[in-house]
Amino acid sequence: MMTAVSDQLHGASSPDALTREEILASRRQLRRRRLVALGLVAPLLAFIIFAFFAPIATMLYRSVYNPTVVELIPDTLAALGTWDGTGTPDEPVLTALAIDLKRLANERTAGRLGEEFNRALPGTSSLVKSTARKLRRADDAELAASGATMLGDIDERWTSTDLWNAVRETGRSFRETYFLTALDLERTPEGGIQLRESARIYIPLYIKTLRIALVITVLTFLLGYPLAYYLAHAPPMRANLLMVLVLLPFWTSLLVRTTAWIALLQTNGVVNSLLMGVGLTSEPLEMMFTEFATIVAMTHILLPFMVLPLYSVMRGIDPSYMRAAMSLGSKPIPAFWRIYFPMTLPGVSAGGLLVFIISVGYYITPALVGGTDGQMISNIIAFHMQQSNNWELAAALGALLLVLIMVLYWVYDRLVGADNIKLA
Amino acid sequence: MARFPEYYTLWDRTGIYALRAVAGLVLFFLMAPILVIIPLSFNAEPFFTFTEGMLAFDSEAYSLRWYGSILENPNWLLAIRNSFIVGIAATILATTLGTLAAVGLANSAMPYRRLITALLLSPMIVPLIIIAAGMFFFYTRFNLVGTHLGLIIAHAALGVPFVIVTVTATLAGFDRSLYNAGIGLGASPMRAFRDIVLPIIRPGVISGGLFAFVTSFDEVVLVLFLAGPDQRTIPRQMFSGLREQINPTILAVATLLVLVSGLLLVTRELLRRRSDRLRGV
Amino acid sequence: MRLTSILVGAALAATFATTTVADDLTAVSFGGAYGAAQKKHMIDPYIAATGNNVLFEDYSGGIAEIKAQVEAGNIQWDVVDIEVIDLERACSEGLVEVIDFDLPPGDDGMAAADDFFPEALANECGVGVIFWAIIFAYNNETIGDTVPTTIADFFDTNKIPGKRALRKRPQVNLEWALIADGVAKEDVYEVLATEDGQARAFAKLDTIRDDLVWYDSWSQAPQLLNDGGAVMVQSANGRIFGAIQDDGAPFAMVWDKMVFDLDVWAIVKGTPNKDLAIDFIKFATNTKPLSGMQDVAYGPTRKSAAALVDPSVANDLPTAHIDKGLKADGIFWADFGETLGEKFNEWLLQ
């Protein structure tokens, strides 16, 4: 730096124009600074790509890619080849399946095939598994000669068109079926797309999730706004002291707070004992394992995320605006609505969007206090990951949730600015 | 309390009292659930509620048995140890990489700054269940599921955004000419960074580290998907306890955790003041 | 800076310390009173006798977690206590190892093949641990004037108002629904194999839908009864027995149409600790550890262990009530577990 500056002082013939060397030097310097900056960021970027983005990408890939059936019954699928989707496929196809099933029964993988078929055509898992069990000890030569007849004899469903459409459907490694299921859609026999005829599950659940998130956002706003207002206008000493009461819950473990709500809301819990003690109810109220419990506990947990941005916006508002309004004759309450409240809107949108985004993806609290009707979309994703082992559907539901979050994040970025996330 | 200006009507004054009452109630709503569990953790009975003896302040109704049962249970001890191992290692990883990156991002010559910042902050926004599912699929390929290392990497990724945010905030008040002066006096960039930049941003670094630690220490969704029985952590142990077998040991652990968070809060507050002083705010 | 390096060092040292003892055995069972009995009579004596370390973990049953481990290829568990109602499915789907080793003779010297009751070795993938039963129970203090005596009463909200709790899975619940709807217990599985029978079972569950509470793990059953979450709960008989015996809980059991079953120790397919797992199973299914299961009123699976059962407990064992019950059909659930599981989950979400 020093040398560059002294060169400039001595070597410049005209004070305005830079020499070629100077331009080059400054370009070199810029390039060096850029390299240094990149070098500093690169390790973290590489780490995040490995630790975070690659997993997300894998999940997105899983939502459309599932080679299980292709790997399990390659011969059947090869024989099925050009079947047109009407009637029953030719005998060699059925024979190939009979042979594949026997092999699967002995490899103990018939269950996986049954599971895949079952997702395309409910009820098929039991058919696959019981047939495989019966074919397990079948004679190879007999199977090769009359496998098709044997299948038909075990169960006539093996000759149905629906079943073979399911085989063909699941026999593609790349498929959009999981997204269709996640959107409560299904394919018609003719290949079109329609709303699922049986129970519609996921769209109502997304709507319910958004509704719960909205209720929580509104509640945190209704509770948080007066508190933030009070804190922002209290004398600094008292405000700092009371702020601790907001920050301590914020820093307290999520599970501790959820535990507290379980202790409070249980049938024989603190709230019920209190209500019955003062004689407000004679019977304990059912609060645990309901949507009510989910909403109350999450409102409590997320309230600081609303209070903190509101507080910091309110602290920055010049009190002279309100004074000016009132000295011009406005009453305090109209002045508040017309002058003060609009100035706090950035805080409202920051806090509101933050609370909304966090609640849409919430898992732990609904899982512990929500029972059956307080479950949200994250819980069903966890369910398909851990209980039903339908990982592809979990991935598709996750991908949709991700899109939803991205849209909300984009709105947040527009309104608030992503780098303005404040941490207490 | 009659410090209201004269032009306040009765209606306005009532409004202000109402505001006070509401603020008080909301603070009560925030604190009461956390305070309730503390006495409950000394319950002599295996219940989650106040017994008659407890309400009568009968000393027989209180006991330390649930604290004792933490120490007797090897699963809790393992969980405590794992929480610290994973938390500290993830914090070090996140803080080191995050601080370097924040310094790089503060440099005006950094290309694609906005995009890269958004990318590095995104682990904070994506729902944990999505991260957990993705990591389960991806980490399996590298045999990282069911290992401490896998969990450390996962938690470090979650902690990174906090480090970036806090360090960037301290760097925003940093006067670059101090660094330039150091270089001008003949220091190497490394030395100038270590002796000039780092001491000034240190409160931000430590504060980011604290956030990263708390994130890991409190995290349970990724643990549920990525940890085996060997890697159980305190929140994981609490989660299964709440799901399967509720007993007040969890309340005892919760009380200890409230103490920990109180300590962390105080630490961070002290750091914030120091940082403000250093930056001359 | 020095503090940081100390912390780094400590963390690294601790990480290595934990990885070097990673060849411990991980045994997984149901927790609660049953888990406590297994810890006392199987896990702790095994650790004392061999010096091997055992991590004893709880789960809430079913095959999902084992399946996830096997299909993803990261095996976390070594030995699992599985209900036989789930075992055939786990075995036919290749999630557990075939038992291909010889079991030691009983303490009285009788060869394993003769000493074990035949049901205990009937499945090639597990070694029987207990005979147990799924019953329902009520709390004398909350039930009111009419007490239930049959499974039909469980489904009769007019006769017995209030919440009833069931374990959140189709197994046993669908059987009970059909029996309560009038199907003879001998025909239950035959009816349940048909579409109409399945619809009938779900329709019966629908009638009490609003009064149902679902729980995940067996240990929640006595808790729900205790803290008023339900007036009647489905439970493993030992959990209720334990609550009555140890805590003096005012519970009563209904044995009518109980579903009896076995639990086995099984080895998760592909575990790197298979030898240790075999060693553990040999130890844990011998006479003395098995006889300890009477602590929670579960019948031992060896004759030599059954001989050690205290006569005062005999009437609380499922074996004393066999005539009132039906045997859980593992093969049926191996075939229909997936199909009915999906239907059940859809029904729950409706």
Side-chain angles (χ1 to χ4, degrees):
Chain A
M1 279 298 267
M2 271 309 231
T3 46
V5 173
S6 57
D7 281 357
Q8 209 171 327
L9 283 176
H10 295 290
S13 49
S14 138
D16 297 331
L18 296 173
T19 65
R20 225 178 125 252
E21 288 78 41
E22 280 166 351
I23 293 172
L24 282 177
S26 101
R27 269 199 201 141
R28 252 201 314 279
Q29 210 201 346
L30 184 68
R31 204 178 312 134
R32 246 200 66 207
R33 282 183 58 200
R34 185 173 283 189
L35 275 178
V36 170
L38 263 178
L40 287 168
V41 176
L44 181 63
L45 202 55
F47 173 75
I48 289 291
I49 287 173
F50 174 83
F52 179 76
F53 285 104
I56 302 278
T58 315
M59 187 201 75
L60 295 177
Y61 185 60
R62 281 298 282 250
S63 67
V64 291
Y65 178 70
N66 179 1
T68 312
V69 176
V70 178
E71 283 163 10
L72 288 173
I73 51 166
D75 295 345
T76 308
L77 291 174
L80 188 61
T82 54
W83 178 59
D84 63 354
T86 53
T88 308
D90 300 334
E91 268 192 19
V93 183
L94 272 79
T95 306
L97 182 65
I99 295 170
D100 273 338
L101 277 177
K102 183 193 165 181
R103 180 176 49 80
L104 295 183
N106 287 310
E107 286 170 0
R108 295 174 187 269
T109 44
R112 295 207 64 191
L113 185 72
E115 190 179 75
E116 294 296 331
F117 284 0
N118 199 62
R119 283 169 191 157
L121 185 65
T124 320
S125 166
S126 43
L127 174 66
V128 172
K129 293 202 69 179
S130 55
T131 309
R133 176 170 290 113
K134 283 168 193 153
L135 290 176
R136 199 171 155 188
R137 311 224 181 279
D139 180 59
D140 277 335
E142 194 193 344
L143 210 54
S146 59
T149 336
M150 287 166 78
L151 269 190
D153 289 347
I154 289 172
D155 197 306
E156 61 188 17
R157 277 183 287 171
W158 285 116
T159 55
S160 84
T161 313
D162 281 354
L163 183 116
W164 282 98
N165 271 316
V167 174
R168 192 168 64 160
E169 170 65 38
T170 53
R172 291 186 293 136
S173 294
F174 285 96
R175 54 193 124 118
E176 70 295 342
T177 3
Y178 301 109
F179 277 99
L180 293 183
T181 311
L183 291 165
D184 287 334
L185 300 170
E186 66 185 2
R187 283 222 172 268
T188 57
E190 297 77 41
I193 290 171
Q194 65 179 23
L195 273 175
R196 223 151 79 99
E197 276 173 3
S198 58
R200 278 170 213 149
I201 297 171
Y202 300 110
I203 295 294
L205 196 61
Y206 272 104
I207 293 171
K208 181 179 176 185
T209 305
L210 291 174
R211 178 174 55 79
I212 292 181
L214 190 67
V215 170
I216 291 167
T217 311
V218 170
L219 283 175
T220 53
F221 169 73
L222 292 178
L223 296 176
Y225 197 91
L227 177 60
Y229 182 90
Y230 178 74
L231 290 175
H233 295 85
M237 271 296 285
R238 193 192 301 167
N240 273 338
L241 206 66
L242 293 179
M243 206 58 193
V244 171
L245 302 184
V246 180
L247 288 176
L248 187 70
F250 182 71
W251 278 80
T252 302
S253 162
L254 164 69
L255 276 148
V256 170
R257 287 182 278 168
T258 308
T259 309
W261 281 104
I262 293 176
L264 288 170
L265 295 181
Q266 282 192 82
T267 317
N268 274 348
V270 177
V271 170
N272 266 326
S273 319
L274 209 66
L275 290 178
M276 286 162 71
V278 277
L280 274 176
T281 53
S282 54
E283 289 274 293
L285 300 175
E286 291 295 335
M287 292 179 289
M288 237 340 239
F289 303 126
T290 59
E291 191 180 309
F292 171 78
T294 301
I295 291 176
V296 173
M298 281 178 63
T299 303
H300 177 249
I301 290 167
L302 297 177
L303 188 50
F305 287 96
M306 179 65 97
V307 174
L308 297 172
L310 278 175
Y311 175 76
S312 77
V313 167
M314 287 174 179
R315 280 305 281 254
I317 292 175
D318 189 338
S320 58
Y321 288 111
M322 279 288 273
R323 270 187 233 130
M326 287 192 287
S327 70
L328 290 172
S330 174
K331 293 278 187 287
I333 288 174
F336 170 84
W337 276 116
R338 309 243 309 262
I339 309 289
Y340 190 86
F341 186 74
M343 286 195 288
T344 60
L345 279 178
V348 174
S349 57
L353 274 166
L354 201 57
V355 169
F356 192 75
I357 290 177
I358 300 175
S359 15
V360 164
Y362 230 65
Y363 167 64
I364 292 298
T365 307
L368 289 173
V369 304
T372 318
D373 66 332
Q375 302 288 301
M376 298 168 72
I377 195 71
S378 282
N379 301 96
I380 200 77
I381 296 176
F383 170 82
H384 283 306
M385 285 297 294
Q386 296 182 311
Q387 300 297 314
S388 79
N389 293 76
N390 194 346
W391 293 345
E392 289 76 21
L393 180 57
L397 288 164
L400 293 177
L401 177 60
L402 190 62
V403 170
L404 185 65
I405 293 291
M406 286 300 154
V407 171
L408 290 169
Y409 188 51
W410 178 77
V411 174
Y412 183 90
D413 194 27
R414 277 283 140 128
L415 289 179
V416 189
D419 19 11
N420 282 343
I421 296 176
K422 288 264 176 3
L423 303 168
Chain B
M1 285 281 143
R3 286 185 285 108
F4 304 120
E6 286 169 14
Y7 50 82
Y8 272 41
T9 60
L10 183 66
W11 180 241
D12 297 331
R13 288 170 204 220
T14 322
I16 285 171
Y17 282 118
L19 174 72
R20 246 178 234 166
V22 170
L25 281 175
V26 175
L27 284 174
F28 176 79
F29 172 71
L30 274 170
M31 283 305 292
I34 294 172
L35 295 179
V36 154
I37 56 178
I38 295 174
L40 283 179
S41 71
F42 296 101
N43 197 341
E45 302 294 324
F47 298 128
F48 252 44
T49 187
F50 292 98
T51 57
E52 282 170 22
M54 292 182 89
L55 296 173
F57 294 105
D58 180 356
S59 63
E60 295 270 301
Y62 291 86
S63 92
L64 287 172
R65 65 187 274 211
W66 307 112
Y67 290 86
S69 69
I70 301 174
L71 298 175
E72 283 161 19
N73 187 331
N75 288 359
W76 275 112
L77 296 179
L78 180 64
I80 293 170
R81 199 175 63 153
N82 279 334
S83 275
F84 280 100
I85 294 174
V86 173
I88 291 172
T91 303
I92 292 168
L93 190 57
T95 315
T96 317
L97 294 178
T99 306
L100 289 179
V103 172
L105 288 170
N107 191 330
S108 55
M110 180 68 203
Y112 305 111
R113 192 157 50 153
R114 215 180 129 72
L115 174 73
I116 290 178
T117 311
L119 288 181
L120 294 178
L121 292 185
S122 51
M124 194 149 63
I125 288 300
V126 176
L128 283 168
I129 193 75
I130 295 179
I131 306 180
M135 283 180 172
F136 176 78
F137 294 137
F138 186 70
Y139 287 11
T140 296
R141 300 185 187 177
F142 298 90
N143 286 326
L144 285 170
V145 174
T147 65
H148 283 83
L149 183 62
L151 215 49
I152 290 168
I153 293 177
H155 278 179
L158 288 189
V160 158
F162 297 100
V163 179
I164 302 257
V165 169
T166 52
V167 176
T168 307
T170 28
L171 276 171
F174 174 68
D175 183 355
R176 220 188 139 74
S177 58
L178 290 174
Y179 173 82
N180 291 344
I183 300 274
L185 291 170
S188 68
M190 272 296 280
R191 173 114 198 262
F193 176 78
R194 203 186 66 201
D195 291 353
I196 299 170
V197 183
L198 202 55
I200 295 178
I201 63 169
R202 184 173 289 155
V205 175
I206 298 181
S207 169
L210 270 183
F211 268 109
F213 181 76
V214 171
T215 306
S216 164
F217 201 69
D218 192 19
E219 203 289 318
V220 62
V221 186
L222 300 189
V223 180
L224 283 171
F225 279 76
L226 300 178
D230 259 331
Q231 288 85 37
R232 76 176 85 219
T233 60
I234 297 172
R236 169 77 177 79
Q237 188 73 4
M238 288 182 82
F239 184 83
S240 56
L242 289 174
R243 248 207 157 158
E244 275 150 32
Q245 251 206 316
I246 297 189
N247 81 50
T249 310
I250 294 173
L251 295 175
V253 175
T255 305
L256 294 177
L257 288 180
V258 172
L259 277 180
V260 171
S261 41
L263 282 177
L264 289 173
L265 177 61
V266 171
T267 316
R268 197 182 126 78
E269 194 54 26
L270 293 177
L271 279 173
R272 196 177 57 86
R273 290 193 184 158
R274 192 177 126 89
S275 159
D276 287 354
R277 217 172 41 237
L278 275 177
R279 292 188 302 164
V281 177
Chain C
M1 276 297 119
R2 204 190 297 145
L3 182 68
T4 325
S5 33
I6 292 171
L7 289 179
V8 176
L12 285 178
T15 313
F16 284 118
T18 44
T19 42
T20 46
V21 290
D23 54 8
D24 298 346
L25 185 76
T26 302
V28 182
S29 181
F30 289 83
Y34 178 48
Q38 284 184 321
K39 183 163 162 45
K40 182 176 165 198
H41 297 285
M42 295 175 174
I43 308 286
D44 288 346
Y46 178 73
I47 295 173
T50 61
N52 294 334
N53 203 3
V54 181
L55 259 176
F56 193 40
E57 170 98 345
D58 296 347
Y59 84 133
S60 47
I63 64 163
E65 285 166 279
I66 307 170
K67 199 168 151 73
Q69 291 178 28
V70 173
E71 285 181 8
N74 47 59
I75 310 297
Q76 304 292 329
W77 298 353
D78 303 317
V79 184
V80 192
D81 182 307
I82 302 185
E83 296 167 34
V84 168
I85 204 167
D86 297 320
L87 178 67
E88 177 60 33
R89 181 161 175 216
C91 191
S92 68
E93 294 187 13
L95 307 179
V96 286
E97 299 272 1
V98 172
I99 301 290
D100 52 4
F101 52 90
D102 293 325
L103 291 159
D107 282 358
D108 57 2
M110 183 145 18
D114 301 322
D115 195 23
F116 274 99
F117 292 103
E119 298 92 328
L121 299 178
N123 189 292
E124 55 183 345
C125 289
V127 182
V129 184
I130 52 165
F131 284 101
W132 63 295
I134 298 165
I135 47 104
F136 76 92
Y138 56 90
N139 184 335
N140 275 317
E141 285 174 4
T142 57
I143 191 73
D145 299 331
T146 331
V147 298
T149 52
T150 65
I151 198 67
D153 294 345
F154 190 91
F155 284 82
D156 189 341
T157 48
N158 291 323
K159 189 168 173 190
I160 318 247
K163 297 272 180 193
R164 37 271 274 157
L166 290 172
R167 193 167 168 219
K168 199 172 175 178
R169 60 195 308 223
Q171 285 84 346
V172 181
N173 300 333
L174 294 181
E175 284 96 315
W176 277 1
L178 282 183
I179 293 174
D181 203 37
V183 176
K185 70 179 189 189
E186 296 76 22
D187 305 332
V188 162
Y189 285 108
E190 208 174 302
V191 175
L192 206 50
T194 64
E195 293 265 334
D196 292 346
Q198 292 162 14
R200 192 171 161 192
F202 281 111
K204 187 70 186 175
L205 279 177
D206 262 332
T207 61
I208 55 168
R209 182 180 197 123
D210 294 339
D211 292 296
L212 280 174
V213 176
W214 299 100
Y215 63 82
D216 292 303
S217 82
W218 286 123
S219 45
Q220 286 166 299
Q223 275 167 21
L224 280 164
L225 212 48
N226 192 53
D227 55 43
V231 296
M232 290 185 280
V233 298
Q234 178 184 62
S235 176
N237 67 305
R239 309 264 167 186
I240 301 300
F241 176 84
I244 298 173
Q245 199 83 350
D246 301 342
D247 310 330
F251 299 165
M253 285 187 249
V254 179
W255 289 94
D256 181 55
K257 306 302 182 294
M258 58 93 163
V259 176
F260 66 90
D261 199 1
L262 282 85
D263 267 21
V264 300
W265 282 121
I267 302 173
V268 178
K269 183 98 171 181
T271 165
N273 299 323
K274 191 176 171 189
D275 292 339
L276 209 55
I278 292 174
D279 193 47
F280 172 77
I281 291 183
K282 284 181 180 171
F283 181 93
T285 57
N286 217 322
T287 306
K288 216 160 153 273
L290 286 182
S291 69
M293 298 301 104
Q294 62 176 299
D295 286 8
V296 279
Y298 291 145
T301 48
R302 271 179 185 257
K303 290 166 196 154
S304 59
L308 299 178
V309 170
D310 191 317
S312 67
V313 190
N315 201 40
D316 294 305
L317 297 184
T319 28
H321 305 270
I322 287 281
D323 54 321
K324 300 183 199 113
L326 90 148
K327 170 96 181 71
D329 189 340
I331 294 184
F332 173 86
W333 282 109
D335 288 354
F336 284 86
E338 177 75 26
T339 306
L340 291 178
E342 295 268 304
K343 278 197 180 177
F344 179 73
N345 293 324
E346 277 198 2
W347 177 82
L348 272 183
L349 284 165
Q350 272 167 29

